[in-house]
Structure formats: structure tokens, C-alpha cells
Amino acid sequence: MSLTSPALAAKLAGLQSSAIRDLLKLTARADIISLAGGLPDAALMPRERIALAAGTALRDPAVLQYTESPGWPALREVIAARESTVIGRAVPPAEVFITHGSQQALSLLAEVLLDPGALVIVEDPAYVGALQVFRAAGARIVAVPLDRDGMRLDALEDLLAAGERPVVVHTVASFHNPGGVTLAHERRRRLAELAESHGFWVIEDDPYGELWFDRPAPAPIAAHSSQVIRLSSVSKILAPSLRVGWMIAPDHVCRAVELLKQGADLCGSALTHQIAADLLTDTAWLATHVASVRAAYGSRARTLVTALRTTFGDRVHCTDATGGMFVWADFTDGTDTTALLPTALATGVAYVPGAAFAVSDSYRNSMRLCFTTSDEPTLTEAITRLAKATDPS
């Protein structure tokens, strides 16, 4: 018997488990109202319509077989048509690559585009899934802050003027996770211009773009440049368990990703690909379904924001929830949200401290709140509990 276990890869030394996933283990109790998760509401997922599509798909035995590594061809055609409408230019199926959720696309792209030490620009606060991917790739990560109009391109331009040369700029441009803001139209255009003039890729991570409440987000960054790689999925509008994501990228990037995916899992699921294609091509039904999800989330978002502002007044500043799944809130009185969390849990409410999303700033006074999985009275009660936690007396 060996006295010493073989070592793991050195790249694991700097990786940490997601603080959000770890927190979810603590918030499973029925007496806690959790605003911590980033989950869509399972009650709004179209189970009966998914079952119908699955039954239809299973009539063909071939649906249980392996499919092509870039994805089931018919689904790629469906996505190409949808993305052509969204982006405003013709997207050929060769530029569509189906992945096991958009997170896999991000992971494969990191392997394809980044050598160890390559510079990646991210937003601060940042999407933690992106940080995990880029850290695993050994990238050097530099953060650019957000404001109410999204990524601050003046800060990005300062970095470029100082001689920084990113390989990738990653952005959740529409209804940001965790920041809750949306990149303004002119900034999208300018970011595309900077990508072309300085020779970097933009990864436009867009899982929330269809979840707008009052008006759609501006046209995608990909509408302005071929150096933008777009990621999205059906997880937020249909169901995460389908694990159907995609990227829109130049053909040579897709072929490079294909080589890596073959080594990772050979291919995706022809069954879930066919189910997704069925649902996405039923356009009248889909429009009604997505509209109902928007209406439910919009009402919940407004309730949460109103409760925050009414309860805390000037003690808390929060984003206006115009889409997506999250509200970002800052205590103005010095409240440390990491230190407050145990008291909040004891009071029966959970959130994610801002420090979980920090790259360069600590965000010790900030928190991310998810409004999707609770109804309006529950959200109001959650903020009442949060206020009690901040003032237990």
C-alpha cells in the first residue's frame, strides 16, 4: 500500500469551490427564505410541453444514438435562424456549436483561446463561473468596474492605453449577474470597435437576454463585430436540466472547440437537442411561455426592489431590476454583509455576500439577491427578516 498519494495537477492550487454553491447547502432548510440561489423557478418550467416533445422525439430510435460533436444538425439550424434574427446578420449553422450548457462553452473557449498567463478582462463584480474557468486556465485576470450602464469602457481604454493587451474581454452585457445592470448601446458599439482595433476577442455571455421586463436589451455586441463570440442557452427560458447551450463563433473557433469537446464528452445528447429544437420551433407557444415568465419575474423583481427601498431607505442602494434574475444592493452605513450572513440565516433569510463576486474590490457592504424563486409576499417577508437581522434589538 502506498504511503503517499500521487499529487494532483498544480493548477488546482488556486481554485476554490463556488461560494454560492456552498451557500446553497446551508439554505436548504424550509424555514429559510433563500435569495441566494441563481435558479429559475421550476414551477414556471413547461413540464407538460417538454414531456410532449420528449414523447415525439422518442418515436425515432436514432434519437438515443450518439450525435455529431457540434450538436444535432437540426438544432444547429434552429439556433442559427434564431441568432440571425437576434444579431441582425445571417448566421450559418457552421458558426453554431451546441454545448452542455453555456458554461461548457465558456470552459472550452478558455482552453482554445488562452495560454497560461494570457490576460483576460472581466467585469467587477464578476460572474463567478467565468472566474473559475479563467483561473483554471491559468489566465491573468484584470477587472474593470461596472456602473449603471454596464462595463466602464473608460477604465478598459485606460488599461489599453497603459499597454495591456487582453486576449479576451468577458461580459454579461444584458441584465448582469451579479450586478443587475445592462451595457448601454453606445458602449456595446465601442467595445466592438476596441476589439477590432486592439485584436482581442469579446465573449458575450448572454443567458438572460430574453428575460426583459419593460423593454429588450440593446442589440447584441455581436451585431457590431465578428470578433465577438456569443454564448446563450435554454436554461433560463425552458429548463436547466436540458443542458442545451450554444456559442456563435467563427468557423475556425468552432472547429477548435470541436477537437476539445471530442476529448471531453464526444458529443451532447441527441434526445435533449431534439426536445429543445421542438420547443424552439413552436414559436407561438414559445412566445406565450416566455412572456409569462417575464411577467412573473418582473412582478417579483419590482416587489423586491420596492421592499428594499421602503424598508431600508437611504441605508441601501440597489439596482433597478429591468430584466434577468438579480438585484445588486449596497449598504451605505458600513454593514458588512459577510459578517451579517450568520445572523441573517438565523433570522430566516439568505443572500450572497458581495465578496463572493469580488475581483479587485472587496464589496464587503454589498449583496446579490435573487428574486425568481419566491412569490411577492415571500419576498416582502424576506426583506422584513433582513431588516431584523441588521437590527436584532
Side-chain angles (χ1 to χ4, degrees):
M1 181 176 179
S2 174
L3 297 178
T4 304
S5 298
L8 299 177
K11 67 181 180 181
L12 292 172
L15 299 184
Q16 297 178 343
S17 177
S18 165
I20 301 168
R21 296 297 173 190
D22 293 343
L23 181 59
L24 291 179
K25 299 174 186 176
L26 301 175
T27 59
R29 298 196 334 244
D31 60 326
I32 292 181
I33 302 173
S34 180
L35 308 180
L39 308 177
D41 188 350
L44 298 177
M45 296 175 194
R47 287 175 292 173
E48 293 182 1
R49 184 63 183 84
I50 291 173
L52 178 63
T56 301
L58 287 168
R59 294 173 189 166
D60 181 0
V63 78
L64 299 179
Q65 191 53 274
Y66 293 107
T67 188
E68 299 177 12
S69 296
W72 192 56
L75 177 59
R76 292 170 66 204
E77 292 178 4
V78 170
I79 299 299
R82 283 173 56 85
E83 289 288 329
S84 295
T85 300
V86 172
I87 297 174
R89 64 170 177 83
V91 175
E95 295 183 1
V96 177
F97 199 100
I98 308 300
T99 55
H100 194 72
S102 61
Q103 183 70 20
Q104 187 189 49
L106 187 58
S107 179
L108 292 172
L109 281 171
E111 293 188 66
V112 164
L113 302 178
L114 302 174
D115 292 316
L119 175 59
V120 175
I121 303 292
V122 299
E123 294 153 324
D124 197 15
Y127 167 52
V128 293
L131 293 179
Q132 287 180 307
V133 163
F134 297 140
R135 286 168 178 158
R140 181 168 68 93
I141 300 172
V142 174
V144 169
L146 297 171
D147 63 19
R148 62 183 299 172
D149 290 321
M151 179 187 286
R152 280 185 46 199
L153 293 193
D154 62 319
L156 174 59
E157 293 189 66
D158 286 345
L159 289 171
L160 296 171
E164 293 283 20
R165 291 296 174 261
V167 176
V168 164
V169 172
H170 176 268
T171 176
V172 183
S174 298
F175 315 121
H176 189 268
N177 175 15
V181 296
T182 293
L183 190 65
H185 170 76
E186 287 305 318
R187 292 192 187 185
R188 293 175 186 233
R189 184 184 299 276
R190 180 58 179 156
L191 180 56
E193 292 173 351
L194 291 171
E196 295 193 347
S197 62
H198 291 273
F200 58 79
W201 292 103
V202 174
I203 297 180
E204 181 179 20
D205 212 342
D206 188 22
Y208 310 106
E210 294 191 61
L211 297 181
W212 50 269
F213 303 150
D214 300 317
R215 66 182 65 87
I221 307 167
H224 306 294
S225 173
S226 61
Q227 286 178 212
V228 179
I229 299 173
R230 255 181 67 78
L231 311 183
S232 193
S233 81
V234 302
S235 294
K236 305 306 187 293
I237 61 169
L238 294 177
S241 63
L242 291 175
R243 305 314 298 140
V244 172
W246 58 87
M247 71 174 188
I248 308 300
D251 181 70
H252 71 284
V253 174
C254 290
R255 301 292 71 78
V257 167
E258 182 175 359
L259 293 175
L260 290 176
K261 185 168 172 62
Q262 288 172 348
D265 62 5
L266 297 180
C267 64
S269 164
L271 176 59
T272 59
H273 289 191
Q274 188 160 326
I275 291 169
D278 185 332
L279 299 175
L280 293 175
T281 53
D282 190 352
T283 54
W285 168 82
L286 183 63
T288 300
H289 166 69
V290 173
S292 69
V293 174
R294 287 188 195 122
Y297 288 175
S299 176
R300 295 170 190 182
R302 287 186 286 272
T303 295
L304 180 63
V305 169
T306 298
L308 275 170
R309 291 173 176 168
T310 301
T311 303
F312 288 97
D314 290 340
R315 288 183 63 201
V316 169
H317 290 168
C318 69
T319 53
D320 292 313
T322 58
M325 297 170 52
F326 307 106
V327 168
W328 182 261
D330 300 301
F331 278 98
T332 61
D333 60 1
T335 297
D336 185 319
T337 56
T338 299
L340 176 66
L341 184 58
T343 303
L345 290 170
T347 310
V349 63
Y351 56 83
V352 183
F357 308 96
V359 182
S360 57
D361 292 325
S362 65
Y363 295 110
R364 302 294 295 184
N365 310 123
S366 304
M367 57 187 171
R368 189 195 75 174
L369 307 173
C370 179
F371 49 76
T372 55
T373 53
S374 297
D375 60 22
E376 289 83 350
T378 303
L379 290 167
T380 301
E381 172 61 21
I383 301 307
T384 298
R385 295 182 185 186
L386 183 62
K388 182 179 179 182
T390 64
D391 186 15
S393 61

